[in-house]
Amino acid sequence: METVTMSTPDIAEVDQFRCRVDEILKKVDKLEKKVNEVERFYLNANKKKKSSSKGNSIQEEQDKGRHVPSIKKQQQDASQRESAAAKRMQELMRQFGTILRQISQHKWAWPFMQPVDVKGLGLHDYYKVIEKPMDLGTIKNQMEAKDGTGYKNVRAICADVRLVFDNAMKYNEEGSDVHLMAKTLLEKFEEKWQLLLPKVSEEEKRREEEEAEAQLNMQLVREASHAKRVQAISNELYEVDTHLEQLRETVVQKCRKMSTKDKRNLGTAIARLSTEDLSKALEIIAQSNPGLQAMAEEVEIDIDAQSESTLWRLNFFVKDVFKGCDKSTAGNNKKKRKKGICDAIAQTVKKKSKKPSS
């Protein structure tokens, strides 16, 4: 076997190639992570669009042409929007407070102004019947709370007022005084609530539209940001591709010219490739022969007509394929030998277990 020795300049050149390849591999790893991040973003964005795609194509066209405010501007707008919404909600709560005050001033409201004195009245089963006790005094205190624990919207107060009277009607039998008083006050409350309800519904609709617009703007900002990332990734990929091409050309220039024997061996090796690997080999040839139809049913490969770079690329590819096959075969043989040994041991143990004990 012929031994090839390399001079110091050759070794230095190989090391230089290795360094350049390592740099490119590091760049490729970073690019792969970036591409995966962008891909995940657009997959999630598409899922959201599909789940909420009851909006028509006209709306989508409007979204494309709309101005996208910056994140800082959106934050300022959100702060102003929340402040304005809080003021409007305070006004609705003030109007609701008037309703609550009118109900509380009714001559039959006194049993509902404070929590039920369960112990004092001997109502031993009260908490078994009533899951969430409520009274008008507690509602009033929570409406006036300044520590952030108070009501955030009018519907929550409305639900608690109803709960006060529903609890009373649930615990006290129909026809009893408390049941009748609760039913009467609930009816009066519902009449007054119906007058305020249109304003509440209008505010809720406005909040919903503002929130939807804010989310859309934020999504457009993210998409614009990712579009810039995609462009940057594209530029980096082009740069990596250029470096690879330069390396390829340098390597080809350094390679010796392939001999007739090498070409013959290469042709024989290609003929032994699987259908899948043969398609990959044809793709390599097609890169320097644009006219070649790599997917055609029958393709005739003229080894002598290929450029040196194509021949060496094919040569490296074929070697990698058969090296992988050898490893796979060796692995399978090793598994077979291991299985054979295990089976032999099992048979020996089986025979010994059958021998009668002395």
Side-chain angles (χ1 to χ4, degrees):
M1 187 175 180
E2 185 183 354
T3 306
V4 179
T5 58
M6 294 173 64
S7 64
T8 304
D10 289 336
I11 294 171
E13 198 169 14
V14 169
D15 288 339
Q16 190 178 5
F17 274 127
R18 275 205 196 97
C19 289
R20 289 179 68 184
V21 170
D22 288 341
E23 286 175 8
I24 290 174
L25 286 174
K26 286 177 184 177
K27 282 186 180 180
V28 169
D29 286 340
K30 289 180 181 178
L31 282 170
E32 187 177 9
K33 289 178 182 177
K34 290 179 182 179
V35 168
N36 288 337
E37 288 173 6
V38 172
E39 186 179 21
R40 279 196 298 272
F41 170 79
Y42 282 110
L43 281 173
N44 292 332
N46 287 335
K47 284 179 184 176
K48 287 178 182 177
K49 282 180 181 177
K50 283 179 182 177
S51 63
S52 62
S53 72
K54 293 192 178 173
N56 53 31
S57 57
I58 297 174
Q59 181 63 45
E60 289 178 5
E61 288 299 320
Q62 289 175 349
D63 293 344
K64 287 179 185 177
R66 68 187 292 159
H67 169 68
V68 182
S70 65
I71 292 180
K72 187 176 180 180
K73 179 69 166 61
Q74 286 191 54
Q75 290 172 340
Q76 291 174 347
D77 290 346
S79 177
Q80 292 172 359
R81 189 168 56 248
E82 287 299 321
S83 177
K87 287 180 181 178
R88 295 195 302 270
M89 186 55 68
Q90 283 176 359
E91 175 57 24
L92 286 173
M93 286 187 173
R94 187 192 65 77
Q95 293 180 39
F96 191 93
T98 301
I99 296 174
L100 185 63
R101 190 163 53 254
Q102 291 171 348
I103 296 297
S104 300
Q105 289 172 352
H106 193 278
K107 61 181 180 179
W108 285 354
W110 61 269
F112 315 107
M113 293 305 299
Q114 294 178 349
V116 175
D117 185 6
V118 176
K119 192 174 181 180
L121 296 172
L123 308 177
H124 306 297
D125 63 342
Y126 188 80
Y127 293 117
K128 293 181 181 178
V129 179
I130 304 302
E131 294 179 8
K132 184 185 176 184
M134 186 55 63
D135 64 277
L136 297 178
T138 298
I139 292 173
K140 182 174 179 294
N141 291 337
Q142 199 166 342
M143 284 182 69
E144 295 172 352
K146 305 294 184 184
D147 58 356
T149 60
Y151 292 105
K152 299 296 186 292
N153 60 74
V154 177
R155 281 194 188 271
I157 316 174
C158 175
D160 277 354
V161 172
R162 284 173 175 159
L163 185 62
V164 172
F165 302 124
D166 286 340
N167 284 349
M169 289 188 291
K170 183 178 182 180
Y171 189 78
N172 297 277
E173 294 182 0
E174 192 173 354
S176 65
D177 289 346
V178 175
H179 188 104
L180 177 62
M181 294 162 78
K183 185 177 181 181
T184 302
L185 288 177
L186 180 59
E187 288 173 353
K188 288 185 177 296
F189 168 73
E190 293 293 352
E191 287 175 7
K192 296 178 184 298
W193 168 247
Q194 289 303 316
L195 297 175
L196 183 61
L197 184 57
K199 293 181 180 179
V200 175
S201 299
E202 183 182 349
E203 174 58 22
E204 288 172 341
K205 185 179 179 183
R206 180 173 178 177
R207 287 299 301 270
E208 189 177 333
E209 289 173 351
E210 286 178 349
E211 185 62 29
E213 185 177 3
Q215 288 182 358
L216 177 60
N217 284 337
M218 185 57 71
Q219 179 65 18
L220 290 173
V221 166
R222 291 196 192 101
E223 287 183 6
S225 172
H226 277 79
K228 289 180 180 177
R229 289 191 69 186
V230 168
Q231 183 59 50
I233 290 170
S234 178
N235 292 338
E236 288 182 72
L237 283 170
Y238 177 78
E239 185 181 338
V240 168
D241 191 48
T242 303
H243 287 163
L244 284 172
E245 184 63 26
Q246 290 171 352
L247 270 179
R248 188 176 69 83
E249 290 301 322
T250 305
V251 169
V252 169
Q253 288 171 14
K254 297 290 180 181
C255 285
R256 64 176 173 80
K257 191 173 181 181
M258 192 173 280
S259 67
T260 304
K261 183 181 177 182
D262 290 334
K263 290 179 183 178
R264 188 166 59 249
N265 291 339
L266 179 58
T268 304
I270 290 173
R272 290 170 52 205
L273 292 174
S274 66
T275 306
E276 183 182 352
D277 289 327
L278 184 58
S279 296
K280 293 177 182 177
L282 290 173
E283 287 176 10
I284 293 173
I285 296 172
Q287 287 176 11
S288 56
N289 296 272
L292 179 72
Q293 294 182 342
M295 302 305 291
E297 291 184 6
E298 291 186 12
V299 179
E300 187 177 341
I301 302 174
D302 185 357
I303 291 292
D304 293 324
Q306 306 308 317
S307 64
E308 286 297 319
S309 62
T310 301
L311 289 172
W312 282 110
R313 289 179 68 196
L314 284 170
N315 192 55
F316 293 138
F317 170 73
V318 169
K319 279 187 177 180
D320 287 342
V321 168
F322 288 115
K323 191 185 293 182
C325 289
D326 291 341
K327 284 184 181 178
S328 178
T329 304
N332 290 334
N333 289 338
K334 190 176 180 181
K335 285 180 183 176
K336 285 180 182 178
R337 284 198 302 274
K338 189 176 179 182
K339 187 176 184 300
I341 293 168
C342 290
D343 289 344
I345 293 170
Q347 287 294 330
T348 305
V349 172
K350 193 174 180 183
K351 285 176 183 178
K352 284 182 178 181
S353 63
K354 284 183 179 179
K355 288 182 180 180
S357 58
S358 57

